[in-house]
Amino acid sequence: MDRKIILIGQDRVGQTKITTLLQQCELSDFEYLHFSSIYKAKAAISECSPCLVLMHVKNTDKVVDFSGYIQENHARIPIILIMTTDRRTTQTLMEKGVHHLMHPEHVNQVSLMHVVLAAIEQKRVENELRSRDAILQAVNYAAEVFLSRLDWESRINDVLARLGIATSSDRVYIYRNDMRQEIGLVPMLQAEWIATGIQPLKALSEASGNEYRGSGFQRWVEVLKRGGMIFGNVLDLPPEEQSHLLKMDVRSLVVVPIFTDQLWWGFIGYDQCCQDKNWSSIEVDALKTAAKILGAAIARQDAETRLTHLATHDYLTNLPNRMLLEDRFVLAVARAERSGKKFGIIAIDLDKFKLVNDAHGHPFGDKVLVEVAWRLSEAVRSSDTCARVGGDEFTVLAEGINNKKDLRRVMEKLTQSMKPEISINGKQVFLTASMGASIYPNHGTQMEQLMKASDIALYQVKDVYSGSKIFIDEQISWLKEITMLYDTAVATSNILDTKSLYQKIYEQVQESFPLDTFLLMEYDMQNETSKIAFVMEEGKPIKEWLGRTLAKSESGLIGWVIQQRKPFLSYDLTKDTLPVKSPSSEKPTRSWLGVPLIAKGKVVGGLSVQAFAPNVFNKNHQRLLESLAAQLANAVDNAQLAEKSQRQIERLKALHDIDLVINSSLDLRVTLNIILDQVIEKLQIDAAAILLLNPKSKLLEYTASRGFRTRTIEQYSLRIGEEPSGKTAMERHLVQALNLAEVDGDLAYTNMMQEENFISYYSVPLIAKGQVKGMLDIFNRTPLNPDQEWYNFLETLGGQAALAIDNTSLLEDLHRSNKELTLAYDTTLEGWSKALDMRDKETEGHTQRVIEMTLRIAQVLGIQEEELIHIRRGALLHDIGKMAIPDSILLKPGPLSDEEWVIMRLHPVYAYEMLYPIAYLRPALDIP
């Protein structure tokens, strides 16, 4: 505001000019503008923004109308009115926005100076507190929206509007950085809010799509990347920045960087277009908090998007997987029902793809699959879905189909896309594909029905390519085998639970083979280990073997079969030459037959049938078991993929549950305990603990734990760099000790791990916005052999824990700010009271005594605790009206005259006039 005082109405009180009084007192550095007309004064107020309006007008209605105008359009300007009124009129004027009312007879040099300075200072403090309140409320709202909703973008305009109104900005906007190869780093406008009459940035060519350097804003890149801010008046900025900003009508601004996971994502800006503004430190700090909250929301949404994509897309080709295909199928059915059109399901199987893998290797085959996936997805329309449902199997959901002719056209486009040779790393391959199709609802209304119909059509095509055979009497055994294979396929095709599938496989094999022992192994190609997934001996499970993981050197004959990818038959183990040593058992095995399980070119496990007698199995058994294995391998692979997808879904649900807890609980320990429950349940471990970093002591201190048999873990605090968790915190990556017996040297946890019988140990840093918040340590009493998916989920849970810690810290900071604001109010009131005591030396200490006596009486009367604070404030300010009493009366050594007593008894009225505009003090107003 300008240091100008506008006088409206008469310039005289009695024989004295008001402007003369103002110039004679300590207000000579102010500029005074006198207007006899309220109409002219309004125009001047809009132009110069004075710090005070002084009115000497007798018409009450005009004063009321003018006060309402000021309160609505210029609420930051205080009004002092010189007028003779009754109590009711005084109350009406105060409600309409008059800050102080002076009786004409009481206007003199001292009283006028006191009232003017007090009004300006009080309004300044009130405006500053009101601005801080508004900004904090807007930041609180932003925190609620951003931290509780994944679709925060749908509410961003509302958040920007609140921030704009709270900061009295004319324009608030968000820019995201976009790296373009042809021009460099470009800020792209994401959202904006503008005040009435302000031109939007999206309508200005200078405001979007221009590279920082070319636009003259290279300095901004350097400052914002470091976490600094750009703020101030435009004319104080470098010339190359001024030209662009002035074209956008910007006079002053604040630009705050937005970071997501330690990366500079973009910035949020606040523009003043109508006037210059000096931003206070309170406002700047609040705007920094808003930018941090927005960055956390963006990072959280990105993480959720990545996890959802991983769960619904094929890891190799990035095509939709079966789970997403099923979702698209449901939507396609709904659209078909509404439009009356049909859609097709096309099953695609690459011909002789195994030859590609055998000739060039699986890495080359994977690249071929990626190329095929790209060609197929390019051949279909954007409204269609091309999914990978198996190793070399794809499914296309083609919508808007009216008849078979339409579907044939789609299949022809898919066929044409496969004709050009595929060239990878200088090698060329030609591939063809067989296709079968079905139409909804002609061939079924359920996805499985349509997929089955498409598969039948597909294999009819493949039969044509491979020729046909006529069965004769001598081949009746072949027919029985084919029937058995068909029955097995039907029995196992729809089982996606590995435990049930393995049981069904055992039952089918048992019917056709004279076995005593049955063994099914799962194989992990990455770690080259085998796990005993199912084992039966004489119709009973061998529980002590079940689930055991064997290294390559420990897996015996079945391991050799898996590694060599070929079957092995021994008529008598005691006489035949064996490629590897066979493990001994209580009952010696004599006959042994094993085959690998190969699905889509990769080994997923192995099958073995054994008998205690020699010469039980022959070549026919070997051929039949190989045929069964070729068929069952896909069922095993599909079941494993289904369980993997289910685990991903459960883990997504766990992350969602953790999100709900983060958003609903303000108690950090409750949140951390729930996270630990999810860690133990979903990762299938025995115990877990969280240690948080104390920023003062730089120690990792115990905070929460689950699964421990003793309380020893609660005594631990580790230094940064100390093995093992302190080292994890310092190096910011996962530390693991798969087997405690194999670890060289002592760990900080060695004694505790020995006491708890822990063997395996992992430690994950909890990092939020680039800052280490603590450690997540997990323990297991048996050796762990996790896959990459397990590691990824562990690190994701660590990220969620770090986010919970960071969010709770942010909310605690906001609560602390609110408490400090309340304390500032009360401290200001106590300052007023002390100032009054210093002025009226006769009553020094009087206010404190009145407070103590009043509170004791209120407690005796049983007044509730929440009302005592208002009573205390009222007692604190009970003599505040004496500030308006002239010193000649208040400090008069002798008795007061009747006229002086009239003035003295007005101090409650003055108190009411002074305090009524402050809504914060109205509950306490009855006392003063």
Side-chain angles (χ1 to χ4, degrees), residues 534-792:
F534 192 89
V535 58
M536 299 286 285
E537 187 173 274
E538 295 181 321
K540 296 180 181 179
I542 306 178
K543 296 182 179 179
E544 59 270 23
W545 287 10
L546 195 61
R548 184 181 299 177
T549 299
L550 305 175
K552 183 178 179 180
S553 60
E554 303 172 333
S555 51
L557 283 174
I558 189 64
W560 183 89
V561 166
I562 291 172
Q563 294 291 332
Q564 299 298 317
R565 300 166 66 96
K566 61 183 181 181
F568 181 79
L569 169 63
S570 174
Y571 298 100
D572 190 342
L573 290 177
T574 61
K575 297 179 180 180
D576 294 340
T577 301
L578 305 179
V580 294
K581 184 178 180 182
S582 178
S584 59
S585 60
E586 294 182 3
K587 294 183 179 181
T589 298
R590 300 291 296 275
S591 299
W592 196 96
L593 173 61
V595 294
L597 294 173
I598 302 176
K600 299 117 183 175
K602 66 177 182 179
V603 180
V604 297
L607 276 179
S608 168
V609 291
Q610 305 165 31
F612 298 141
N615 303 311
V616 172
F617 308 121
N618 55 37
K619 289 293 183 179
N620 288 335
H621 288 115
Q622 179 179 331
R623 187 186 67 252
L624 179 57
L625 192 60
E626 285 185 75
S627 301
L628 267 175
Q631 188 179 75
L632 294 173
N634 285 328
V636 171
D637 188 42
N638 290 338
Q640 291 175 351
L641 286 174
E643 288 192 344
K644 181 179 179 181
S645 298
Q646 184 61 35
R647 284 196 301 271
Q648 289 177 333
I649 293 172
E650 290 176 357
R651 288 171 178 176
L652 281 174
K653 183 179 182 300
L655 294 176
H656 177 67
D657 292 341
I658 291 172
D659 277 343
L660 293 178
V661 173
I662 292 174
N663 295 330
S664 62
S665 175
L666 298 179
D667 190 331
L668 180 59
R669 290 188 179 274
V670 172
T671 303
L672 294 182
N673 285 332
I674 292 176
I675 291 175
L676 290 175
D677 289 339
Q678 295 289 350
V679 168
I680 290 175
E681 177 185 350
K682 296 301 185 296
L683 296 180
Q684 297 182 352
I685 56 165
D686 293 325
I690 291 178
L691 284 71
L692 297 187
L693 180 64
N694 187 325
K696 295 181 179 179
S697 64
K698 301 301 181 183
L699 292 176
L700 292 166
E701 299 176 348
Y702 167 85
T703 304
S705 63
R706 280 287 189 275
F708 292 89
R709 294 170 180 169
T710 68
R711 305 188 69 173
T712 306
I713 186 66
E714 299 178 12
Q715 303 170 8
Y716 274 85
S717 61
L718 308 178
R719 295 186 303 274
I720 294 292
E722 183 179 4
E723 291 277 354
S725 295
K727 182 178 180 181
T728 306
M730 183 174 70
E731 298 181 356
R732 299 191 175 201
H733 64 74
L734 182 144
V735 169
Q736 67 182 50
L738 289 178
N739 193 326
L740 185 62
E742 300 174 358
V743 177
D744 295 329
D746 290 335
L747 303 176
Y749 287 139
T750 299
N751 294 334
M752 184 273 292
M753 292 181 69
Q754 292 174 347
E755 181 181 347
E756 293 270 358
N757 295 323
F758 290 134
I759 294 178
S760 299
Y761 163 81
Y762 293 82
S763 182
V764 180
L766 306 181
I767 300 175
K769 304 183 183 106
Q771 299 296 320
V772 175
K773 301 296 182 180
M775 301 305 309
L776 170 61
D777 294 337
I778 67 173
F779 305 86
N780 206 56
R781 295 184 174 92
T782 57
L784 289 173
N785 187 28
D787 54 17
Q788 188 60 42
E789 180 186 345
W790 188 93
Y791 285 118
N792 293 340

Side-chain angles (χ1 to χ4, degrees), residues 75 244 427 457 468 506 567 739 778 840 846:
H244 281 80
K427 300 177 182 178
S468 60
Y506 166 68
N739 193 326
I778 67 173
D840 187 4
H846 165 73

Side-chain angles (χ1 to χ4, degrees), residues 341-556:
K341 290 188 175 183
K342 304 175 182 180
F343 64 85
I345 296 291
I346 304 172
I348 305 171
D349 190 10
L350 301 183
D351 296 327
K352 301 178 182 178
F353 184 72
K354 183 177 180 297
L355 298 178
V356 176
N357 280 332
D358 293 343
H360 303 288
H362 291 284
F364 181 85
D366 288 344
K367 294 179 181 179
V368 171
L369 285 175
V370 172
E371 173 66 19
V372 169
W374 180 82
R375 291 186 179 189
L376 294 177
S377 60
E378 287 293 306
V380 300
R381 299 162 297 179
S382 59
S383 59
D384 299 335
T385 298
C386 179
R388 185 188 180 201
V389 295
D392 56 357
E393 299 174 1
F394 300 85
T395 297
V396 171
L397 190 157
E399 297 192 54
I401 299 299
N402 294 313
N403 48 48
K404 291 183 179 180
K405 186 177 180 181
D406 293 342
L407 195 55
R408 285 195 192 98
R409 279 198 292 267
V410 177
M411 297 172 73
E412 287 171 2
K413 288 184 65 177
L414 292 169
T415 302
Q416 291 296 323
S417 71
M418 296 295 298
K419 284 188 176 181
E421 67 177 11
I422 297 174
S423 179
I424 296 175
N425 298 335
K427 300 177 182 178
Q428 288 74 37
V429 295
F430 292 91
L431 279 180
T432 59
S434 300
M435 302 181 193
S438 59
I439 299 177
Y440 172 93
N442 301 25
H443 304 129
T445 57
Q446 302 298 318
M447 184 171 174
E448 291 304 321
Q449 294 173 331
L450 293 169
M451 293 283 285
K452 183 176 181 181
S454 298
D455 286 339
I456 293 173
L458 169 66
Y459 287 107
Q460 287 175 348
V461 173
K462 279 189 173 292
D463 287 342
V464 172
Y465 287 154
S466 61
S468 60
K469 294 181 180 181
I470 301 175
F471 287 93
I472 58 178
D473 293 343
E474 288 81 1
Q475 294 174 319
I476 192 67
S477 60
W478 286 78
L479 181 59
K480 290 182 178 179
E481 290 179 7
I482 291 174
T483 303
M484 182 261 188
L485 292 173
Y486 175 77
D487 291 341
T488 302
V490 172
T492 59
S493 61
N494 294 323
I495 302 177
L496 296 178
D497 169 51
T498 54
K499 185 176 181 181
S500 302
L501 176 63
Y502 297 160
Q503 179 66 35
K504 180 59 69 175
I505 291 173
Y506 166 68
E507 294 171 358
Q508 294 295 123
V509 172
Q510 188 183 34
E511 291 181 3
S512 303
F513 292 83
L515 58 88
D516 292 312
T517 304
F518 173 84
L519 176 67
L520 191 151
M521 302 285 286
E522 292 178 349
Y523 181 63
D524 183 349
M525 293 183 63
Q526 183 177 359
N527 297 315
E528 293 189 342
T529 57
S530 302
K531 186 179 80 171
I532 300 176
F534 192 89
V535 58
M536 299 286 285
E537 187 173 274
E538 295 181 321
K540 296 180 181 179
I542 306 178
K543 296 182 179 179
E544 59 270 23
W545 287 10
L546 195 61
R548 184 181 299 177
T549 299
L550 305 175
K552 183 178 179 180
S553 60
E554 303 172 333
S555 51

Side-chain angles (χ1 to χ4, degrees), residues 119-158:
I120 292 174
E121 176 62 17
Q122 184 177 340
K123 199 66 176 181
R124 184 194 65 78
V125 173
E126 181 183 331
N127 291 336
E128 188 172 297
L129 293 175
R130 184 186 294 112
S131 175
R132 178 175 178 176
D133 279 349
I135 294 176
L136 288 176
Q137 288 175 5
V139 172
N140 274 326
Y141 178 76
E144 179 183 352
V145 171
F146 291 155
L147 300 180
S148 64
R149 299 175 66 94
L150 291 177
D151 59 336
W152 59 269
E153 290 170 309
S154 64
R155 303 288 295 277
I156 187 63
N157 289 333
D158 188 23

